[in-house]
Amino acid sequence: AVVSTQSGHYGRDGKRRGTRDMFARDFRKRGLIPLSTYMKVYKNGDIVDIKGCGTVTKGMPYKVYHGKTGRVYNVTKRAVGVIVNKRVKGRIMAKKINLRVEHIRHSKCRDDFLNRVVRNELVKKEAKASGIFVSTRRAPVVPRSAHTVKGKGISVEEVCPIRYEFIA
């Protein structure tokens, strides 16, 4: 452990300080890493989520990058290079970090968008065939219309606060 210059305070300024829960494995997910982790294919341009795995200490991300999403720019035998945005004081910097495959996973942030594109193309094709116009834009959810809530055989009870009385 690194000892700081002030007496009585130990190990408070290390690289992995404050990562006890962050890099801990999940409940019932300890032990060997599944082989599917190593079978995944990463290509340049893939969007990945960074999640440090405490079991593998090599090629681990620094704690600032844990939970961030980046884009793959380099692929090697055991690791990948990822470009991640990091806020430094008032600006956002693009940082290049190298991580082992145990510490990353494919991001699902674009899944909804890609599914929507496919669905929209099908809707457009059907609309063109039938000759009607269909809007593929997302519309905000409108508020529900006003209505009266009725209860069967339930009397209405008025609820009001009880007056405060000081008891000596």
Side-chain angles (χ1 to χ4, degrees), residues 146-162:
H147 63 281
T148 308
V149 179
K150 295 179 181 177
K152 293 179 181 175
I154 301 169
S155 61
V156 178
E157 184 184 336
E158 240 180 78
V159 180
C160 58
I162 301 168

Side-chain angles (χ1 to χ4, degrees), residues 82-140:
V82 182
I83 298 174
V84 192
N85 285 338
K86 182 184 179 188
R87 194 167 150 270
V88 181
K89 293 183 182 172
R91 63 195 193 276
I92 294 172
M93 296 178 70
K95 306 283 280 189
K96 288 184 174 184
I97 56 173
N98 296 311
L99 306 165
R100 281 206 174 200
V101 290
E102 294 92 346
H103 309 294
I104 61 167
R105 61 187 58 170
H106 287 285
S107 183
K108 294 182 179 176
C109 64
R110 277 179 67 83
D111 286 0
D112 182 49
F113 168 71
L114 295 172
N115 291 337
R116 205 169 69 244
V117 167
V118 171
R119 201 166 49 246
N120 286 350
E121 289 303 316
L122 287 171
V123 169
K124 281 183 198 170
K125 198 173 184 181
E126 289 172 9
K128 195 172 184 182
S130 61
I132 57 168
F133 173 76
V134 177
S135 176
T136 55
R137 292 186 175 192
R138 290 176 292 169

Side-chain angles (χ1 to χ4, degrees), residues 29-76:
K29 296 274 192 271
R30 292 176 168 81
L32 289 173
I33 296 167
L35 287 177
S36 59
T37 307
Y38 300 99
M39 301 298 284
K40 287 187 179 120
V41 177
Y42 295 98
K43 297 175 184 172
N44 284 1
D46 284 357
I47 298 173
V48 292
D49 293 331
I50 299 167
K51 184 175 188 268
C53 176
T55 310
V56 183
T57 49
K58 280 189 171 185
M60 217 174 183
Y62 182 64
K63 61 187 175 185
V64 167
Y65 303 108
H66 182 84
K68 299 281 186 289
T69 302
R71 194 174 282 270
V72 174
Y73 79 95
N74 185 30
V75 180
T76 61

